[in-house]
Amino acid sequence: MSNTFSYDAIIIGSGAAGLGLALTLPDHLQIAVFSKSNMSEGSTYYAQGGISAVLDSADSHESHRIDTMRAGAGLCHEDIVELVVSNGKASIDWLMANNVEFSTKKNTQSKRKLHLTKEGGHSYRRVVHADDSTGQAVQIALNDQVVNRSNIKIFEHHNIIDLVTSYDDKTGKKKVIGCYVLDTKKDQIFSIKAPCITLATGGASKVYLYTSNPDVSTGDGIAMAWRAGCRVANMEFMQFHPTCLFHPEAKSFLISEAVRGEGGLLLLPDGTRFMPNFDKRAELAPRDIVARAIDHEMKRLGIPSVFLDISHRTAKFTKSHFPMLHKKCLNFGFDMTKEPLPVVPAAHYTCGGVMTNQNGETDIAGLYAIGETAFTGLHGANRMASNSILECLVFAKQASLHITKFLQHANKSPDIKPWDDSKVISSDEAIVVSHNWAELRQFMWDYVGIVRTTKRLQRAKHRINLLKQEIEEYYSNFHVTSDFLELRNLVTTAELIIESALLRKESRGLHYTLDYPKIDDKHFKKDTVLTP
Ligand code: FAD
Ligand code: SIN
């Protein structure tokens, strides 16, 4: 079955990046927004801590810039950091104009002003938040705006399979002309045309067995862009959040860094504090340092978790700052006002991604990438807490300005060849897909995790090669399903992570290898760029 729709702009992803772009593009454009699940299901909805922006009179762009670059361990692109931090206040103002309600407190003149919290790596309180459910407040407000815009059509439960490209008659340059889509409710595939497509598909943390991310974070945008011919950079820098709840049913539920920002301490089972032994910033050191310290202590002592304790603050304080966390932890049997929480690190954020410039443009004309799926140069070797949603919004705006101009001169897309599934059959072997999912995530956790070695990376590479063969075979013979498409994308993403990690023969930021434990500025103070 095949039919083709046509739009001015297609946006793949309905998180902060995708909806931020949809709402900033001019309303004379016909826009299609795609979401693999329901519109809210993405990392944005689950964001807890907040959004960083310089709002305190003692704080400065200079300080935010220095903190971001320090966390990024020498690899942040200074011009991009400058662009993002200088747009912090404008981004918060834009969210408030779109009805996002942030937490406030009374100042000395009894006027309400935004409450700012603190997180790892930040020298000042500069994290704007909506209690401990910032992402939910942002996602719901943006959903409400988008559904009221008659020029925006939302396609929920539609999984984009691949991009379709062609060559420009005049320039000879590769350009995007559309994509193939699986309607997962109807189990039908169709094509859709547009001269401009934006990947806003989020990260790839589902490549690991334990992750704070929702199920949709399967690196689809990165894999699609790679298959289409885009360069990808810095994939070795996968961020592990230090503190996810250790409980068999909690699915690595995140305990916000803001808990440490408000005084939470990391403890060993005997109650000893250990972070001061690793970094003078202790619990508020950047994430790579805290996650590695926890991993070290867990392995050294053979313990299943460490503990995060905020019980020294009053119950009133904890309940009012962290109402969602308090309630959720109670459901799992822990009262954080009275006792320490067992916590472990889990995969959390993809610092690398599809290479873009300051306008969100990729290597293919008309194809943009924004949000977690993109590599802009902001995060370097380690993202600082709460810089991600800010990056989504700043690049949504940058891309919107560029796309608006681009579309003034773009030609209509030519027709797309219909999806051909005449030679494939339905698989009676769904077990192949679920087995390979589990295997991939397990060996990525064991061999390509917080601490790496060349031998472990090579082992993982060998397994990837076997999985790739099976996937190729499956793709040529069977009808595709959502699970299969995600597995295919995860395997591609995993391969990019492993290849990048093998190329970086030093330890920097989130990439730590026992074979090259030191930073090597002479040879490796540069991005790892992979070209298809
Ligand atoms: P997402 O919000 O992940 O959205 C991705 C979208 O793409 C979804 O709509 C999905 O359905 C769609 N999609 C993906 N693939 C396809 C496909 N093939 N076809 C169709 N649609 C597709 N950052 C901060 O700055 N502050 C925080 O406090 C914070 N807390 C966090 C807490 C948690 C638990 C997590 C997981 C992340 C947190 N982060 C935080 C990181 C931040 O939330 C994300 O980096 C950011 O929200 C990503 O936004 P996005 O729009 O790029 O992607
Ligand atoms: C958190 O609340 O700890 C997550 C913040 C982030 O990932 O930026």
Side-chain angles (χ1 to χ4, degrees):
M1 139 115 206
S2 176
N3 42 45
T4 304
F5 300 96
S6 187
Y7 283 85
D8 295 315
I10 292 172
I11 300 171
I12 313 177
S14 58
L19 296 191
L21 174 60
L23 290 166
T24 20
L25 282 169
D27 49 17
H28 66 264
L29 297 177
Q30 293 305 309
I31 302 166
V33 175
F34 285 91
S35 175
K36 246 191 326 191
S37 175
N38 64 59
M39 212 168 139
S40 291
E41 191 62 7
S43 289
T44 299
Y45 183 87
Y46 296 95
Q48 295 181 6
I51 305 169
S52 50
V54 174
L55 297 172
D56 188 306
S57 54
D59 194 3
S60 64
H61 290 161
E62 178 66 357
S63 171
H64 190 181
R65 185 178 66 76
I66 290 171
D67 290 346
T68 300
M69 310 249 308
R70 197 174 286 152
L75 293 192
C76 298
H77 297 193
E78 199 163 347
D79 54 336
I80 297 295
V81 179
E82 188 61 45
L83 170 74
V84 173
V85 304
S86 61
N87 277 290
K89 181 173 181 309
S91 301
I92 299 297
D93 288 345
W94 183 83
L95 286 173
M96 292 198 295
N98 281 287
N99 298 338
V100 179
E101 283 189 33
F102 291 113
S103 301
T104 56
K105 67 165 192 180
K106 278 196 184 143
N107 67 8
T108 41
Q109 289 91 42
S110 289
K111 288 206 179 116
R112 294 218 76 86
K113 56 183 253 189
L114 291 173
H115 177 259
L116 303 174
T117 191
K118 205 173 171 196
E119 288 181 281
H122 292 273
S123 299
Y124 288 91
R125 284 188 171 263
R126 64 164 77 97
V127 179
V128 180
H129 61 107
D131 292 331
D132 52 356
S133 303
T134 310
Q136 186 178 335
V138 169
Q139 183 75 53
I140 286 175
L142 299 187
N143 288 355
D144 287 350
Q145 297 294 322
V146 158
V147 294
N148 287 319
R149 291 272 293 261
S150 58
N151 64 318
I152 302 176
K153 166 98 176 126
I154 310 282
F155 293 84
E156 292 183 302
H157 304 284
H158 282 68
N159 191 334
I160 306 294
I161 302 172
D162 255 326
L163 302 166
V164 184
T165 57
S166 153
Y167 288 91
D168 190 88
D169 292 340
K170 283 196 203 117
T171 61
K173 201 178 170 219
K174 202 180 227 189
K175 62 176 186 180
V176 74
I177 55 170
C179 53
Y180 292 114
V181 190
L182 169 66
D183 176 338
T184 53
K185 290 263 164 166
K186 293 192 185 142
D187 196 18
Q188 284 175 355
I189 295 175
F190 62 93
S191 56
I192 181 158
K193 297 197 301 184
C196 166
I197 297 188
T198 302
L199 300 165
T201 45
S205 290
K206 279 289 281 188
V207 77
Y208 288 102
L209 185 57
Y210 301 110
T211 173
S212 65
N213 281 207
D215 289 346
V216 294
S217 304
T218 50
D220 298 7
I222 298 170
M224 278 191 261
W226 176 256
R227 286 193 291 270
C230 292
R231 283 170 305 157
V232 161
N234 282 7
M235 288 301 291
E236 67 273 38
F237 299 120
M238 295 297 290
Q239 182 173 76
F240 291 78
H241 195 291
T243 58
C244 294
L245 193 66
F246 178 65
H247 184 282
E249 274 141 46
K251 263 192 109 186
S252 303
F253 174 67
L254 189 88
I255 308 294
S256 176
E257 196 152 313
V259 173
R260 280 175 280 135
E262 297 298 342
L265 300 175
L266 284 166
L267 308 176
L268 295 175
D270 66 0
T272 320
R273 207 176 149 206
F274 58 91
M275 270 317 297
N277 304 337
F278 290 87
D279 193 283
K280 64 178 187 316
R281 291 161 289 183
E283 280 81 0
L284 286 179
R287 275 184 195 163
D288 53 334
I289 296 169
V290 183
R292 212 155 40 241
I294 295 176
D295 185 70
H296 175 86
E297 291 300 297
M298 283 170 55
K299 288 194 174 123
R300 185 176 70 85
L301 297 168
I303 48 176
S305 76
V306 295
F307 293 86
L308 176 60
D309 189 16
I310 192 156
S311 63
H312 48 281
R313 304 234 40 176
T314 63
K316 186 168 169 240
F317 174 88
T318 301
K319 282 187 202 167
S320 70
H321 277 73
F322 305 111
M324 183 273 290
L325 286 177
H326 177 249
K327 204 166 146 212
K328 199 95 183 189
C329 288
L330 277 182
N331 290 343
F332 290 114
F334 303 107
D335 184 347
M336 66 192 283
T337 67
K338 297 199 177 95
E339 60 189 333
L341 302 171
V343 290
V344 285
H348 182 64
Y349 186 83
T350 308
C351 292
V354 185
M355 279 187 88
T356 72
N357 63 11
Q358 76 281 10
N359 300 317
E361 289 177 280
T362 68
D363 291 337
I364 295 179
L367 182 66
Y368 295 74
I370 55 173
E372 193 170 334
T373 204
F375 165 80
T376 63
L378 174 67
H379 307 303
N382 175 39
R383 173 180 70 102
M384 190 166 68
S386 287
N387 266 351
S388 172
I389 295 181
L390 176 61
E391 184 192 38
C392 289
L393 299 171
V394 172
F395 277 87
K397 180 80 198 270
Q398 291 291 109
S400 141
L401 295 171
H402 200 270
I403 288 170
T404 307
K405 281 199 210 126
F406 171 84
L407 285 176
Q408 284 166 4
H409 305 288
N411 295 324
K412 277 184 81 177
S413 289
D415 283 341
I416 294 176
K417 216 167 75 182
W419 179 262
D420 180 11
D421 55 6
S422 57
K423 295 191 185 67
V424 296
I425 54 167
S426 290
S427 166
D428 56 358
E429 295 261 10
I431 187 69
V432 174
V433 175
S434 57
H435 174 89
N436 286 346
W437 254 88
E439 186 188 335
L440 173 74
R441 298 179 69 211
Q442 180 75 57
F443 74 66
M444 285 300 287
W445 183 260
D446 292 340
Y447 299 152
V448 197
I450 298 174
V451 176
R452 300 162 179 176
T453 66
T454 304
K455 199 167 166 193
R456 286 182 205 160
L457 292 174
Q458 275 160 350
R459 266 198 196 123
K461 188 176 161 161
H462 177 66
R463 279 163 176 78
I464 287 284
N465 289 338
L466 298 176
L467 285 183
K468 269 170 62 181
Q469 278 171 23
E470 283 189 18
I471 284 168
E472 209 43 59
E473 214 174 287
Y474 193 103
Y475 193 63
S476 327
N477 294 316
F478 299 119
H479 282 293
V480 295
T481 61
S482 237
D483 280 351
F484 170 76
L485 292 172
E486 291 186 338
L487 172 68
R488 182 170 76 127
N489 292 330
L490 281 175
V491 169
T492 303
T493 314
E495 187 177 24
L496 295 169
I497 297 170
I498 296 165
E499 290 295 347
S500 309
L502 279 166
L503 286 171
R504 188 168 288 283
K505 297 186 193 314
E506 64 156 357
S507 289
R508 180 190 295 271
L510 296 158
H511 174 69
Y512 184 79
T513 164
L514 294 173
D515 293 309
Y516 306 97
K518 296 221 167 71
I519 198 158
D520 176 358
D521 273 345
K522 188 162 168 229
H523 300 102
F524 292 103
K525 199 171 177 194
K526 58 181 185 191
D527 299 321
T528 308
V529 179
L530 300 181
T531 307

Short mmCIF file of all heavy atoms in Angstrom, two decimals, residues 12-18 34-37 41-44 46-50 158-160 200-202 212-214 216 220 224 254 348-349 370-372 383 386-389 392, ligand 1:
data_model
loop_
_atom_site.label_atom_id
_atom_site.label_comp_id
_atom_site.label_asym_id
_atom_site.label_seq_id
_atom_site.Cartn_x
_atom_site.Cartn_y
_atom_site.Cartn_z
N ILE A 12 10.29 15.49 12.51
CA ILE A 12 10.21 14.14 13.09
C ILE A 12 10.56 14.26 14.57
O ILE A 12 11.72 14.46 14.93
CB ILE A 12 11.16 13.15 12.37
CG1 ILE A 12 11.01 13.28 10.85
CG2 ILE A 12 10.89 11.72 12.84
CD1 ILE A 12 11.97 12.39 10.06
N GLY A 13 9.54 14.18 15.42
CA GLY A 13 9.75 14.31 16.86
C GLY A 13 8.89 15.42 17.45
O GLY A 13 8.80 16.51 16.89
N SER A 14 8.26 15.10 18.59
CA SER A 14 7.35 16.08 19.21
C SER A 14 7.77 16.44 20.63
O SER A 14 6.94 16.70 21.49
CB SER A 14 5.92 15.50 19.21
OG SER A 14 5.91 14.28 19.93
N GLY A 15 9.10 16.44 20.90
CA GLY A 15 9.60 16.90 22.20
C GLY A 15 9.85 18.40 22.17
O GLY A 15 9.32 19.12 21.30
N ALA A 16 10.69 18.87 23.10
CA ALA A 16 10.96 20.32 23.18
C ALA A 16 11.52 20.84 21.87
O ALA A 16 11.17 21.94 21.41
CB ALA A 16 11.95 20.59 24.31
N ALA A 17 12.40 20.04 21.21
CA ALA A 17 13.02 20.51 19.97
C ALA A 17 11.97 20.57 18.85
O ALA A 17 11.82 21.61 18.19
CB ALA A 17 14.18 19.59 19.58
N GLY A 18 11.25 19.47 18.66
CA GLY A 18 10.29 19.40 17.55
C GLY A 18 9.16 20.41 17.69
O GLY A 18 8.84 21.15 16.75
N PHE A 34 5.71 14.41 13.40
CA PHE A 34 5.56 12.97 13.63
C PHE A 34 6.07 12.58 15.01
O PHE A 34 7.07 13.09 15.49
CB PHE A 34 6.33 12.17 12.57
CG PHE A 34 5.64 12.17 11.25
CD1 PHE A 34 5.92 13.14 10.31
CD2 PHE A 34 4.67 11.22 10.97
CE1 PHE A 34 5.28 13.16 9.09
CE2 PHE A 34 4.01 11.22 9.75
CZ PHE A 34 4.30 12.20 8.80
N SER A 35 5.36 11.61 15.58
CA SER A 35 5.73 11.10 16.89
C SER A 35 5.56 9.59 16.87
O SER A 35 4.53 9.10 16.41
CB SER A 35 4.80 11.75 17.90
OG SER A 35 5.02 11.22 19.14
N LYS A 36 6.57 8.88 17.36
CA LYS A 36 6.51 7.41 17.29
C LYS A 36 5.45 6.83 18.20
O LYS A 36 4.88 5.78 17.95
CB LYS A 36 7.86 6.87 17.76
CG LYS A 36 8.61 6.18 16.70
CD LYS A 36 9.82 5.41 17.14
CE LYS A 36 10.66 5.88 18.27
NZ LYS A 36 11.92 5.12 18.35
N SER A 37 5.23 7.53 19.32
CA SER A 37 4.27 7.04 20.30
C SER A 37 3.20 8.13 20.42
O SER A 37 2.82 8.73 19.43
CB SER A 37 5.02 6.81 21.61
OG SER A 37 4.15 6.46 22.63
N GLU A 41 5.33 11.39 24.68
CA GLU A 41 6.31 10.37 25.08
C GLU A 41 7.68 10.63 24.46
O GLU A 41 7.93 10.32 23.29
CB GLU A 41 5.76 8.99 24.70
CG GLU A 41 6.53 7.82 25.29
CD GLU A 41 6.55 7.77 26.81
OE1 GLU A 41 5.85 8.58 27.47
OE2 GLU A 41 7.29 6.93 27.35
N GLY A 42 8.55 11.18 25.26
CA GLY A 42 9.92 11.47 24.84
C GLY A 42 10.66 11.92 26.08
O GLY A 42 10.04 12.10 27.15
N SER A 43 11.95 12.14 25.98
CA SER A 43 12.71 12.52 27.19
C SER A 43 12.21 13.84 27.76
O SER A 43 12.26 14.06 28.97
CB SER A 43 14.19 12.64 26.86
OG SER A 43 14.72 11.36 26.64
N THR A 44 11.76 14.74 26.88
CA THR A 44 11.33 16.05 27.37
C THR A 44 10.34 15.92 28.53
O THR A 44 10.49 16.56 29.57
CB THR A 44 10.68 16.86 26.22
OG1 THR A 44 11.66 17.04 25.20
CG2 THR A 44 10.19 18.22 26.70
N TYR A 46 9.96 13.76 30.72
CA TYR A 46 10.47 13.22 31.99
C TYR A 46 11.54 14.11 32.64
O TYR A 46 12.06 13.76 33.70
CB TYR A 46 11.03 11.81 31.76
CG TYR A 46 9.93 10.87 31.33
CD1 TYR A 46 9.69 10.61 29.99
CD2 TYR A 46 9.09 10.29 32.27
CE1 TYR A 46 8.66 9.78 29.59
CE2 TYR A 46 8.04 9.46 31.88
CZ TYR A 46 7.83 9.21 30.53
OH TYR A 46 6.80 8.41 30.15
N ALA A 47 11.89 15.23 31.98
CA ALA A 47 12.94 16.08 32.54
C ALA A 47 12.52 16.57 33.92
O ALA A 47 11.37 16.95 34.14
CB ALA A 47 13.23 17.25 31.61
N GLN A 48 13.45 16.54 34.84
CA GLN A 48 13.12 16.89 36.23
C GLN A 48 13.74 18.21 36.64
O GLN A 48 13.05 19.19 36.93
CB GLN A 48 13.61 15.78 37.17
CG GLN A 48 12.91 14.46 36.97
CD GLN A 48 13.40 13.39 37.94
OE1 GLN A 48 14.19 13.65 38.85
NE2 GLN A 48 12.91 12.18 37.77
N GLY A 49 15.11 18.24 36.66
CA GLY A 49 15.83 19.36 37.28
C GLY A 49 15.43 20.72 36.77
O GLY A 49 15.01 21.60 37.53
N GLY A 50 15.52 20.95 35.44
CA GLY A 50 15.10 22.24 34.91
C GLY A 50 15.87 22.68 33.68
O GLY A 50 16.41 21.87 32.94
N HIS A 158 3.30 7.10 14.53
CA HIS A 158 3.84 6.95 13.18
C HIS A 158 5.37 6.91 13.30
O HIS A 158 5.97 7.84 13.84
CB HIS A 158 3.45 8.12 12.27
CG HIS A 158 2.06 8.02 11.76
ND1 HIS A 158 0.95 8.14 12.57
CD2 HIS A 158 1.59 7.79 10.50
CE1 HIS A 158 -0.14 8.01 11.82
NE2 HIS A 158 0.21 7.79 10.56
N ASN A 159 5.95 5.83 12.81
CA ASN A 159 7.39 5.64 12.92
C ASN A 159 8.05 5.92 11.57
O ASN A 159 7.75 5.25 10.59
CB ASN A 159 7.62 4.18 13.34
CG ASN A 159 9.06 3.91 13.75
OD1 ASN A 159 9.97 4.59 13.31
ND2 ASN A 159 9.24 2.90 14.57
N ILE A 160 8.90 6.94 11.51
CA ILE A 160 9.59 7.24 10.25
C ILE A 160 10.66 6.16 10.02
O ILE A 160 11.50 5.91 10.90
CB ILE A 160 10.26 8.63 10.27
CG1 ILE A 160 9.25 9.71 10.65
CG2 ILE A 160 10.92 8.93 8.92
CD1 ILE A 160 8.15 9.96 9.67
N ALA A 200 14.18 15.64 14.94
CA ALA A 200 14.14 16.08 16.35
C ALA A 200 13.77 14.86 17.18
O ALA A 200 12.85 14.86 17.99
CB ALA A 200 13.11 17.21 16.52
N THR A 201 14.51 13.77 16.92
CA THR A 201 14.12 12.44 17.39
C THR A 201 14.71 12.05 18.74
O THR A 201 14.55 10.90 19.16
CB THR A 201 14.57 11.40 16.34
OG1 THR A 201 15.91 11.72 15.94
CG2 THR A 201 13.70 11.41 15.11
N GLY A 202 15.42 12.97 19.42
CA GLY A 202 15.94 12.67 20.75
C GLY A 202 17.18 11.78 20.70
O GLY A 202 17.81 11.62 19.66
N SER A 212 17.78 5.94 31.99
CA SER A 212 16.72 6.81 32.53
C SER A 212 15.72 7.18 31.44
O SER A 212 14.70 7.80 31.72
CB SER A 212 17.36 8.11 33.04
OG SER A 212 17.93 8.82 31.94
N ASN A 213 16.02 6.84 30.19
CA ASN A 213 15.22 7.35 29.06
C ASN A 213 13.96 6.53 28.79
O ASN A 213 13.93 5.33 29.07
CB ASN A 213 16.06 7.33 27.77
CG ASN A 213 17.04 8.48 27.67
OD1 ASN A 213 17.40 8.88 26.56
ND2 ASN A 213 17.47 9.03 28.79
N PRO A 214 12.96 7.17 28.17
CA PRO A 214 11.78 6.41 27.75
C PRO A 214 12.09 5.52 26.53
O PRO A 214 13.14 5.69 25.90
CB PRO A 214 10.78 7.50 27.36
CG PRO A 214 11.62 8.68 27.02
CD PRO A 214 12.85 8.60 27.86
N VAL A 216 11.24 5.45 23.52
CA VAL A 216 11.40 6.01 22.17
C VAL A 216 12.85 6.43 21.85
O VAL A 216 13.16 6.71 20.68
CB VAL A 216 10.47 7.24 21.93
CG1 VAL A 216 9.02 6.81 21.93
CG2 VAL A 216 10.72 8.35 22.93
N ASP A 220 16.98 6.90 16.37
CA ASP A 220 16.47 6.79 14.99
C ASP A 220 17.00 7.90 14.08
O ASP A 220 17.37 7.65 12.93
CB ASP A 220 14.93 6.84 14.96
CG ASP A 220 14.29 5.70 15.72
OD1 ASP A 220 15.03 4.93 16.38
OD2 ASP A 220 13.07 5.56 15.68
N MET A 224 19.15 7.25 10.78
CA MET A 224 18.56 7.64 9.47
C MET A 224 19.49 8.61 8.74
O MET A 224 19.70 8.49 7.54
CB MET A 224 17.22 8.34 9.68
CG MET A 224 16.06 7.40 9.87
SD MET A 224 14.53 8.34 9.78
CE MET A 224 14.15 8.55 11.49
N LEU A 254 14.85 8.23 37.48
CA LEU A 254 15.86 9.24 37.80
C LEU A 254 15.58 9.96 39.12
O LEU A 254 14.44 10.33 39.40
CB LEU A 254 15.87 10.29 36.68
CG LEU A 254 17.01 11.28 36.75
CD1 LEU A 254 18.22 10.72 36.02
CD2 LEU A 254 16.61 12.60 36.12
N HIS A 348 21.94 8.10 30.09
CA HIS A 348 21.01 9.22 30.25
C HIS A 348 20.97 10.16 29.05
O HIS A 348 19.91 10.67 28.69
CB HIS A 348 21.44 10.01 31.49
CG HIS A 348 20.58 11.18 31.83
ND1 HIS A 348 19.25 11.04 32.20
CD2 HIS A 348 20.84 12.50 31.88
CE1 HIS A 348 18.74 12.23 32.45
NE2 HIS A 348 19.68 13.14 32.25
N TYR A 349 22.10 10.41 28.40
CA TYR A 349 22.10 11.47 27.39
C TYR A 349 23.16 11.19 26.32
O TYR A 349 24.27 10.75 26.62
CB TYR A 349 22.41 12.83 28.05
CG TYR A 349 22.28 13.98 27.08
CD1 TYR A 349 21.03 14.53 26.81
CD2 TYR A 349 23.39 14.47 26.41
CE1 TYR A 349 20.90 15.56 25.89
CE2 TYR A 349 23.27 15.50 25.48
CZ TYR A 349 22.02 16.04 25.24
OH TYR A 349 21.89 17.06 24.33
N ILE A 370 17.98 18.93 15.21
CA ILE A 370 18.00 19.77 16.41
C ILE A 370 17.69 18.93 17.65
O ILE A 370 17.10 17.85 17.55
CB ILE A 370 16.99 20.96 16.32
CG1 ILE A 370 15.57 20.45 16.04
CG2 ILE A 370 17.42 21.96 15.27
CD1 ILE A 370 14.50 21.54 16.12
N GLY A 371 18.05 19.44 18.82
CA GLY A 371 17.78 18.72 20.07
C GLY A 371 18.81 17.63 20.29
O GLY A 371 19.93 17.69 19.76
N GLU A 372 18.43 16.63 21.08
CA GLU A 372 19.42 15.63 21.52
C GLU A 372 20.00 14.84 20.35
O GLU A 372 21.12 14.33 20.44
CB GLU A 372 18.78 14.70 22.55
CG GLU A 372 19.82 13.86 23.27
CD GLU A 372 19.27 13.09 24.46
OE1 GLU A 372 18.26 13.52 25.07
OE2 GLU A 372 19.86 12.05 24.79
N ARG A 383 28.00 16.76 28.81
CA ARG A 383 26.99 17.83 28.91
C ARG A 383 26.81 18.27 30.36
O ARG A 383 26.67 17.44 31.26
CB ARG A 383 25.64 17.34 28.40
CG ARG A 383 24.52 18.33 28.62
CD ARG A 383 23.20 17.80 28.09
NE ARG A 383 22.71 16.71 28.89
CZ ARG A 383 21.73 16.81 29.79
NH1 ARG A 383 21.14 17.97 30.02
NH2 ARG A 383 21.34 15.77 30.46
N SER A 386 21.10 20.34 32.79
CA SER A 386 20.08 21.32 32.42
C SER A 386 20.45 22.22 31.25
O SER A 386 19.80 23.24 31.02
CB SER A 386 19.66 22.16 33.65
OG SER A 386 18.88 21.34 34.48
N ASN A 387 21.48 21.84 30.50
CA ASN A 387 21.80 22.59 29.27
C ASN A 387 21.09 22.00 28.05
O ASN A 387 21.23 22.54 26.96
CB ASN A 387 23.31 22.55 29.01
CG ASN A 387 24.03 23.76 29.59
OD1 ASN A 387 23.39 24.71 30.05
ND2 ASN A 387 25.34 23.74 29.57
N SER A 388 20.34 20.90 28.24
CA SER A 388 19.82 20.23 27.05
C SER A 388 18.54 20.85 26.51
O SER A 388 18.42 21.13 25.31
CB SER A 388 19.58 18.76 27.36
OG SER A 388 18.92 18.17 26.28
N ILE A 389 17.57 21.07 27.40
CA ILE A 389 16.31 21.65 26.91
C ILE A 389 16.59 23.06 26.37
O ILE A 389 16.02 23.49 25.37
CB ILE A 389 15.23 21.65 28.01
CG1 ILE A 389 14.90 20.18 28.34
CG2 ILE A 389 13.98 22.38 27.56
CD1 ILE A 389 13.84 19.99 29.38
N CYS A 392 17.75 22.61 22.92
CA CYS A 392 16.60 22.29 22.04
C CYS A 392 15.92 23.58 21.59
O CYS A 392 15.61 23.77 20.41
CB CYS A 392 15.54 21.47 22.80
SG CYS A 392 15.99 19.79 23.19
P1 FAD B 1 12.63 13.98 22.96
O1 FAD B 1 11.94 14.83 23.94
O2 FAD B 1 13.23 12.71 23.44
O3 FAD B 1 11.59 13.67 21.80
C1 FAD B 1 11.90 12.76 20.77
C2 FAD B 1 10.70 12.67 19.84
O4 FAD B 1 11.08 12.01 18.64
C3 FAD B 1 9.53 11.87 20.40
O5 FAD B 1 8.35 12.54 20.05
C4 FAD B 1 9.62 10.55 19.63
O6 FAD B 1 8.39 9.88 19.48
C5 FAD B 1 10.11 11.06 18.29
N1 FAD B 1 10.75 10.04 17.46
C6 FAD B 1 11.91 9.40 17.66
N2 FAD B 1 12.16 8.57 16.64
C7 FAD B 1 11.13 8.68 15.76
C8 FAD B 1 10.80 8.06 14.53
N3 FAD B 1 11.58 7.14 13.94
N4 FAD B 1 9.63 8.40 13.93
C9 FAD B 1 8.79 9.32 14.49
N5 FAD B 1 9.08 9.94 15.65
C10 FAD B 1 10.23 9.63 16.28
N6 FAD B 1 17.54 18.03 30.25
C11 FAD B 1 17.54 19.25 30.80
O7 FAD B 1 17.96 20.22 30.17
N7 FAD B 1 17.04 19.42 32.07
C12 FAD B 1 16.55 18.40 32.81
O8 FAD B 1 16.10 18.60 33.94
C13 FAD B 1 16.57 17.10 32.25
N8 FAD B 1 16.11 16.02 32.96
C14 FAD B 1 16.01 14.82 32.33
C15 FAD B 1 15.42 13.75 33.01
C16 FAD B 1 15.23 12.55 32.38
C17 FAD B 1 14.59 11.40 33.10
C18 FAD B 1 15.66 12.37 31.03
C19 FAD B 1 15.46 11.08 30.32
C20 FAD B 1 16.28 13.42 30.35
C21 FAD B 1 16.47 14.64 31.01
N9 FAD B 1 17.06 15.72 30.35
C22 FAD B 1 17.06 16.96 30.93
C23 FAD B 1 17.47 15.62 28.95
C24 FAD B 1 16.37 16.24 28.08
O9 FAD B 1 15.11 15.92 28.63
C25 FAD B 1 16.42 15.77 26.65
O10 FAD B 1 17.72 15.83 26.14
C26 FAD B 1 15.52 16.63 25.76
O11 FAD B 1 14.24 16.75 26.33
C27 FAD B 1 15.44 16.02 24.38
O12 FAD B 1 14.42 16.67 23.67
P2 FAD B 1 14.20 16.32 22.15
O13 FAD B 1 13.07 17.14 21.70
O14 FAD B 1 15.49 16.38 21.43
O15 FAD B 1 13.78 14.76 22.17
#
